[in-house]
Amino acid sequence: MRLFLLWIAAAGLLTAADKYTVYESEHFELITDGGRSRAESILTQFERVRAFFVKNLLSRDPLLKPRIVVFNREKDYRAVSPNEVSAAHY
């Protein structure tokens, strides 16, 4: 259910404004209104964390790439936040 709600929020963001861009790495998809270098940095960090877990826990990749949504401004995040104290959600 939460994944579906996040998907709806992300889809709404992409149709509501053209300022959001989708970037992809080998294992992740990132949607952001930030710049390309920031997006690449975030994706690199997620790839490093994934590599650690794959190596140490022998985990498998999911069928679909996990989608990450990063907002440049807290105000934009608050519009889709589940409550006023959350810093992130999945």
Side-chain angles (χ1 to χ4, degrees), residues 9-28:
L13 291 173
L14 293 175
T15 58
D18 293 334
K19 66 181 182 172
Y20 292 91
T21 306
V22 178
Y23 298 96
E24 290 190 49
S25 67
E26 186 176 352
H27 301 99
F28 298 95

Side-chain angles (χ1 to χ4, degrees), residues 4 8-9 22 34 55 60-61 65 70 76:
F4 179 71
I8 288 175
V22 178
K55 179 180 177 183
R60 296 182 310 186
D61 286 331
K65 287 183 178 182
V70 176
D76 295 333

Side-chain angles (χ1 to χ4, degrees), residues 19-20 32-35 38 70-77:
K19 66 181 182 172
Y20 292 91
T32 185
D33 59 344
R38 181 172 182 230
V70 176
F71 298 94
N72 213 19
R73 299 181 316 160
E74 186 173 345
K75 177 184 172 189
D76 295 333
Y77 170 71

Side-chain angles (χ1 to χ4, degrees), residues 16-60:
D18 293 334
K19 66 181 182 172
Y20 292 91
T21 306
V22 178
Y23 298 96
E24 290 190 49
S25 67
E26 186 176 352
H27 301 99
F28 298 95
E29 181 178 285
L30 176 73
I31 302 170
T32 185
D33 59 344
R36 180 177 192 84
S37 65
R38 181 172 182 230
E40 289 173 352
S41 175
I42 292 168
L43 285 169
T44 298
Q45 185 64 26
F46 271 90
E47 289 290 348
R48 285 183 190 146
V49 170
R50 179 200 159 274
F52 169 82
F53 282 106
V54 167
K55 179 180 177 183
N56 293 297
L57 299 178
L58 303 174
S59 61
R60 296 182 310 186

